[in-house]
């Protein structure tokens, strides 16, 4: 938009000047947004690899492992950026479990407030070998944009170990830095569990060091 020069002494001279400045601010804001969007496209996102969400880019340094504690629910919080239907949870098993109790190795998807939305069938046989495990939910869950939590539990002689970020050993506060217990990205819940709880008090969970990688499909 072009503005004509304003003659000295013109009444209300500030009106067109303010309009011109406002227009210029709008153009600058638009340009910055476009640059930011272009730069964001240069980073790999979950959708670039066929996933709805992930804990973090799997091409980062994922060399360490966290062993699941028998009968304890391990919970990982993920961001879902747009509405989707979640049918699969991807779990990388680094060390195989052994002597797992049938019916008590499970994966669940929880709402932001801790309500169980969907769960898998038993994984006690699947988790006695290593590899990237695509765990199907028995009923796909329709989700809107927001934060959701994956819960993983296993019972038996030696539960499996899952791959995690190698820097998590710095301390529980590091992978959850700036977050309350309720909003922790990585936390545990319960003891002696034999099934996934139908609801979890998010604020009562215990933040943990294990920044485990999981993905949603």
């Amino acid at each position: 938009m072009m503005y004509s020069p304003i003659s000295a002494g013109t009444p209300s001279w500030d009106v067109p000047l303010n309009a011109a400045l406002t227009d210029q601010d709008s153009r600058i804001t638009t340009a910055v947004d476009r640059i930011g969007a272009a730069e964001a496209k240069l980073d790999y996102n979950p959708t670039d690899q066929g996933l709805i969400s992930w804990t973090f880019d799997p091409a980062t340094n994922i060399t360490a492992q966290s062993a699941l504690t028998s009968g304890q629910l391990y919970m990982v919080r993920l961001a879902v950026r747009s509405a989707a239907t979640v049918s699969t949870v991807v779990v990388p098993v680094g060390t195989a479990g052994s002597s797992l109790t049938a019916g008590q190795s499970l994966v669940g998807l929880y709402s932001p407030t801790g309500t169980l939305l969907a769960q898998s069938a038993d994984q006690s046989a699947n988790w006695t070998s290593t590899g990237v495990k695509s765990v199907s939910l028995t009923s796909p869950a329709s989700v809107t944009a927001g934060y959701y939590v994956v819960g993983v539990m296993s019972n038996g002689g030696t539960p499996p170990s899952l791959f995690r970020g190698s820097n998590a050993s710095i301390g529980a506060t590091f992978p959850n830095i700036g977050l309350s217990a309720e909003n922790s990205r990585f936390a545990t819940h319960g003891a002696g569990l034999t099934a996934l709880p139908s609801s979890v008090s998010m604020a009562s969970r215990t933040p943990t060091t294990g920044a485990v990688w999981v993905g949603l499909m």
Side-chain angles (χ1 to χ4, degrees), residues 30 40 49 59 73 75 91 129 135 143 153 168 170:
T30 299
Q49 296 185 216
L73 184 65
M75 306 188 80
V91 180
S129 62
V135 180
V143 299
M153 67 161 285
I170 295 174

PDB file of all heavy atoms in Angstrom, residues 30 40 49 59 73 75 91 129 135 143 153 168 170:
ATOM      1  N   THR A  30       4.677 -10.540   8.861  1.00  0.00           N
ATOM      2  CA  THR A  30       4.388 -11.569   7.865  1.00  0.00           C
ATOM      3  C   THR A  30       5.671 -12.176   7.307  1.00  0.00           C
ATOM      4  O   THR A  30       5.781 -13.394   7.136  1.00  0.00           O
ATOM      5  CB  THR A  30       3.545 -10.987   6.720  1.00  0.00           C
ATOM      6  OG1 THR A  30       2.310 -10.502   7.240  1.00  0.00           O
ATOM      7  CG2 THR A  30       3.267 -12.041   5.652  1.00  0.00           C
ATOM      8  N   ALA A  40      11.509 -24.081   9.554  1.00  0.00           N
ATOM      9  CA  ALA A  40      10.956 -25.261  10.225  1.00  0.00           C
ATOM     10  C   ALA A  40      10.866 -26.446   9.281  1.00  0.00           C
ATOM     11  O   ALA A  40      11.021 -27.603   9.676  1.00  0.00           O
ATOM     12  CB  ALA A  40       9.578 -24.942  10.803  1.00  0.00           C
ATOM     13  N   GLN A  49       8.372 -39.013   8.504  1.00  0.00           N
ATOM     14  CA  GLN A  49       8.731 -40.429   8.561  1.00  0.00           C
ATOM     15  C   GLN A  49       7.510 -41.304   8.857  1.00  0.00           C
ATOM     16  O   GLN A  49       7.652 -42.438   9.327  1.00  0.00           O
ATOM     17  CB  GLN A  49       9.850 -40.642   9.584  1.00  0.00           C
ATOM     18  CG  GLN A  49      11.138 -39.935   9.180  1.00  0.00           C
ATOM     19  CD  GLN A  49      12.317 -40.214  10.099  1.00  0.00           C
ATOM     20  OE1 GLN A  49      13.130 -39.329  10.337  1.00  0.00           O
ATOM     21  NE2 GLN A  49      12.456 -41.419  10.597  1.00  0.00           N
ATOM     22  N   ALA A  59      17.114 -39.950  15.049  1.00  0.00           N
ATOM     23  CA  ALA A  59      18.476 -39.875  14.508  1.00  0.00           C
ATOM     24  C   ALA A  59      19.445 -39.232  15.495  1.00  0.00           C
ATOM     25  O   ALA A  59      20.639 -39.138  15.210  1.00  0.00           O
ATOM     26  CB  ALA A  59      18.480 -39.094  13.196  1.00  0.00           C
ATOM     27  N   LEU A  73       4.428 -48.753  35.942  1.00  0.00           N
ATOM     28  CA  LEU A  73       4.043 -48.119  34.677  1.00  0.00           C
ATOM     29  C   LEU A  73       5.018 -47.011  34.344  1.00  0.00           C
ATOM     30  O   LEU A  73       5.209 -46.085  35.138  1.00  0.00           O
ATOM     31  CB  LEU A  73       2.620 -47.562  34.784  1.00  0.00           C
ATOM     32  CG  LEU A  73       2.021 -46.950  33.505  1.00  0.00           C
ATOM     33  CD1 LEU A  73       1.853 -48.026  32.430  1.00  0.00           C
ATOM     34  CD2 LEU A  73       0.679 -46.292  33.812  1.00  0.00           C
ATOM     35  N   MET A  75       5.801 -43.856  31.916  1.00  0.00           N
ATOM     36  CA  MET A  75       4.933 -42.958  31.161  1.00  0.00           C
ATOM     37  C   MET A  75       5.750 -41.905  30.400  1.00  0.00           C
ATOM     38  O   MET A  75       6.645 -41.259  30.968  1.00  0.00           O
ATOM     39  CB  MET A  75       3.933 -42.286  32.099  1.00  0.00           C
ATOM     40  CG  MET A  75       3.137 -43.282  32.933  1.00  0.00           C
ATOM     41  SD  MET A  75       1.774 -42.543  33.881  1.00  0.00           S
ATOM     42  CE  MET A  75       0.537 -42.403  32.586  1.00  0.00           C
ATOM     43  N   VAL A  91       7.804 -48.925  19.926  1.00  0.00           N
ATOM     44  CA  VAL A  91       8.633 -49.075  21.124  1.00  0.00           C
ATOM     45  C   VAL A  91       9.921 -49.798  20.737  1.00  0.00           C
ATOM     46  O   VAL A  91       9.874 -50.944  20.276  1.00  0.00           O
ATOM     47  CB  VAL A  91       7.889 -49.896  22.204  1.00  0.00           C
ATOM     48  CG1 VAL A  91       8.764 -50.049  23.449  1.00  0.00           C
ATOM     49  CG2 VAL A  91       6.562 -49.237  22.568  1.00  0.00           C
ATOM     50  N   SER A 129      12.449 -60.481  22.441  1.00  0.00           N
ATOM     51  CA  SER A 129      13.464 -60.262  21.405  1.00  0.00           C
ATOM     52  C   SER A 129      13.665 -58.763  21.249  1.00  0.00           C
ATOM     53  O   SER A 129      12.803 -57.960  21.640  1.00  0.00           O
ATOM     54  CB  SER A 129      13.037 -60.876  20.071  1.00  0.00           C
ATOM     55  OG  SER A 129      11.843 -60.265  19.596  1.00  0.00           O
ATOM     56  N   VAL A 135       3.603 -51.749  18.116  1.00  0.00           N
ATOM     57  CA  VAL A 135       2.593 -52.364  18.982  1.00  0.00           C
ATOM     58  C   VAL A 135       1.221 -51.799  18.628  1.00  0.00           C
ATOM     59  O   VAL A 135       0.947 -50.608  18.819  1.00  0.00           O
ATOM     60  CB  VAL A 135       2.917 -52.096  20.460  1.00  0.00           C
ATOM     61  CG1 VAL A 135       1.867 -52.742  21.356  1.00  0.00           C
ATOM     62  CG2 VAL A 135       4.311 -52.617  20.803  1.00  0.00           C
ATOM     63  N   VAL A 143      -7.745 -38.660  18.420  1.00  0.00           N
ATOM     64  CA  VAL A 143      -7.225 -37.623  19.313  1.00  0.00           C
ATOM     65  C   VAL A 143      -7.246 -36.270  18.607  1.00  0.00           C
ATOM     66  O   VAL A 143      -7.193 -36.186  17.381  1.00  0.00           O
ATOM     67  CB  VAL A 143      -5.789 -37.943  19.778  1.00  0.00           C
ATOM     68  CG1 VAL A 143      -5.748 -39.249  20.556  1.00  0.00           C
ATOM     69  CG2 VAL A 143      -4.834 -38.022  18.588  1.00  0.00           C
ATOM     70  N   MET A 153       4.230 -51.042  30.492  1.00  0.00           N
ATOM     71  CA  MET A 153       4.504 -51.841  31.692  1.00  0.00           C
ATOM     72  C   MET A 153       4.798 -53.284  31.309  1.00  0.00           C
ATOM     73  O   MET A 153       4.394 -53.762  30.242  1.00  0.00           O
ATOM     74  CB  MET A 153       3.321 -51.792  32.669  1.00  0.00           C
ATOM     75  CG  MET A 153       2.057 -52.456  32.191  1.00  0.00           C
ATOM     76  SD  MET A 153       0.918 -52.859  33.547  1.00  0.00           S
ATOM     77  CE  MET A 153       1.750 -54.287  34.255  1.00  0.00           C
ATOM     78  N   ALA A 168      20.315 -38.684  29.675  1.00  0.00           N
ATOM     79  CA  ALA A 168      19.322 -38.649  30.745  1.00  0.00           C
ATOM     80  C   ALA A 168      19.915 -38.959  32.113  1.00  0.00           C
ATOM     81  O   ALA A 168      19.300 -38.687  33.134  1.00  0.00           O
ATOM     82  CB  ALA A 168      18.199 -39.632  30.435  1.00  0.00           C
ATOM     83  N   ILE A 170      22.057 -37.476  33.698  1.00  0.00           N
ATOM     84  CA  ILE A 170      22.424 -36.263  34.439  1.00  0.00           C
ATOM     85  C   ILE A 170      21.542 -36.097  35.665  1.00  0.00           C
ATOM     86  O   ILE A 170      21.967 -35.600  36.691  1.00  0.00           O
ATOM     87  CB  ILE A 170      22.320 -35.020  33.518  1.00  0.00           C
ATOM     88  CG1 ILE A 170      23.357 -35.119  32.408  1.00  0.00           C
ATOM     89  CG2 ILE A 170      22.500 -33.731  34.294  1.00  0.00           C
ATOM     90  CD1 ILE A 170      23.252 -34.030  31.372  1.00  0.00           C
TER      91      ILE A 170
END
